[in-house]
Amino acid sequence: MRTSRLVTRCVLGVVAVLGTPFAARGAEPPPPPIIDMHMHVSGPLPRTDSGGVMPRVCLPHGWCDGAPTQAKDDAQVRALTLEAMQRNNIVLGFLSGPVDGVREWVDAAPGRFLAGPFIANPHAVDLDQLRAAYRGGQLQGMGELATQLAGIGPDDPALEPLFALAEEFDLPTLIHLEGIGPREPTFSIAAGRPELLDPVLKRHPGLRIYLENAGFPRLAETISLMYMHPQVYADLSTVTWVAPRAMFYEYLKRLMDAGLGQRLMFGSDQMWWPETIDLGIEAIRSAPFLTEAHKRDIFYNNAARFLRLSPQEIARHHKR
Ligand SMILES: [Zn+2]
């Protein structure tokens, strides 16, 4: 749920913080591991007319009142994001951005991220460069495919080579396909209908794809898609902090009642506001209708299955 030119800088001390064992710092044992399936490298932060950093987005009104972001520039976004990962025991993050940008974050915190290219304009993609990045191991995921921000739906032929590439390399693929997004003139509500993915999945049955925000607020189409295509998963990301809490809970409860609790995965979609990582985790932890087992599925188990983590990786993530 973002678009920008993305720039990152080295953050001194981040590697040292991440590399310090919990026991050595005398801290409490970490909470159970979390996988964050929706993260972004930062870039120039959105500014108000007076030059301050825009507060995070809240619906239905737009910008949240009285909630200024903690980060003042892109370097602080990365530092605070990595601190939040450490604090919440987020052992792995699906990180989206320009190829150069994600590489800098991966270098700052090796082993913490699966990297994917952020693509809003499918016509501007250099497929040879992407293919080389997958072959060389610099990228491990596809997306966020955010062409809806440019008014381009997933059934547009321009996305065909990207889906084919994702299928060829068996990539976990994140797509922005829902009813909400940035309030920009090119954003198309109509291009975000989950059912537009149905013909794509018939052409690419091997596609391992997940929907941002479980298609919010398009519940019926999302349920149809997930019932008819069992390989489709969904994240609970921006919706955990951008929508009114009661609305998010009603949506999540309906997904759980539909029997889809084992295909929902936590994501923060932290963009320029690293504090949303804690907000998103708290929203799921506080859901009164979720059992502890449900929460473990959403925070870790479903993503581990979707990403096909090895038993060794899973054991390593659970090591205290
Ligand atoms: Zn996103």
Side-chain angles (χ1 to χ4, degrees):
M1 189 179 167
R2 68 182 305 268
T3 176
S4 76
R5 190 172 62 82
L6 298 142
V7 180
T8 56
R9 294 177 201 146
C10 183
V11 182
L12 292 175
V14 164
V15 174
V17 168
L18 285 172
T20 306
F22 288 96
R25 305 200 327 270
E28 292 287 309
I34 291 174
I35 297 174
D36 187 332
M37 290 297 288
H38 197 141
M39 307 187 93
H40 290 287
V41 303
S42 60
L45 273 64
R47 301 278 170 179
T48 61
D49 291 342
S50 58
V53 177
M54 280 279 193
R56 64 186 170 86
V57 179
C58 282
L59 295 174
H61 304 300
W63 304 106
C64 310
D65 294 329
T69 184
Q70 296 169 13
K72 300 287 179 264
D73 58 33
D74 51 272
Q76 287 185 12
V77 171
R78 183 166 67 179
L80 290 168
T81 295
L82 293 172
E83 281 178 27
M85 290 176 78
Q86 180 78 356
R87 183 169 59 251
N88 292 293
N89 199 17
I90 297 174
V91 292
L92 197 60
F94 185 99
L95 180 69
S96 177
V99 175
D100 288 347
V102 293
R103 193 173 297 144
E104 288 187 32
W105 280 50
V106 168
D107 288 346
R112 286 295 183 119
F113 296 113
L114 299 173
F118 182 87
I119 297 171
N121 179 2
H123 302 288
V125 172
D126 183 335
L127 276 176
D128 291 338
Q129 187 190 41
L130 264 193
R131 183 181 292 277
Y134 289 119
R135 282 228 176 88
Q138 290 95 33
L139 296 177
Q140 299 83 29
M142 174 65 80
E144 173 179 346
L145 297 179
T147 61
Q148 188 187 356
L149 276 57
I152 300 171
D155 55 339
D156 190 291
L159 272 84
E160 216 29 48
L162 296 170
F163 290 132
L165 196 64
E167 196 176 30
E168 178 188 340
F169 283 87
D170 192 24
L171 305 169
T173 299
L174 166 60
I175 188 164
H176 189 120
L177 198 66
E178 57 190 310
I180 59 172
R183 288 178 175 170
E184 293 171 3
T186 55
F187 180 83
S188 164
I189 296 173
R193 289 167 45 209
E195 69 177 31
L196 296 176
L197 211 52
D198 179 44
V200 173
L201 288 161
K202 286 172 179 157
R203 288 196 296 278
H204 301 282
L207 199 56
R208 211 156 32 116
I209 197 161
Y210 63 110
L211 269 55
E212 173 169 331
N213 287 331
F216 182 83
R218 292 185 160 120
L219 181 71
E221 281 192 35
T222 299
I223 292 173
S224 291
L225 190 77
M226 294 180 77
Y227 275 7
M228 298 311 294
H229 299 282
Q231 74 272 40
V232 175
Y233 278 54
D235 81 24
L236 303 168
S237 56
T238 333
V239 65
T240 61
W241 50 266
V242 82
R245 179 67 62 91
M247 179 68 181
F248 165 54
Y249 278 175
E250 183 180 323
Y251 199 76
L252 175 56
K253 174 123 187 0
R254 297 286 298 279
L255 289 165
M256 298 299 294
D257 290 344
L260 294 168
Q262 296 204 313
R263 284 152 68 189
L264 303 175
M265 309 183 288
F266 169 71
S268 60
D269 200 359
Q270 98 295 10
M271 294 181 269
W272 305 285
W273 309 291
E275 57 270 28
T276 58
I277 296 171
D278 292 275
L279 288 172
I281 290 172
E282 189 275 328
I284 289 170
R285 280 210 181 115
S286 303
F289 50 89
L290 293 181
T291 66
E292 286 307 309
H294 291 148
K295 293 174 195 172
R296 287 314 304 150
D297 284 345
I298 291 169
F299 279 133
Y300 185 89
N301 298 333
N302 297 341
R305 186 185 323 107
F306 180 75
L307 295 171
R308 300 193 193 128
L309 300 188
S310 69
Q312 292 78 13
E313 280 173 289
I314 292 171
R316 187 167 55 77
H317 288 161
H318 286 80
K319 228 183 212 165
R320 299 295 178 99

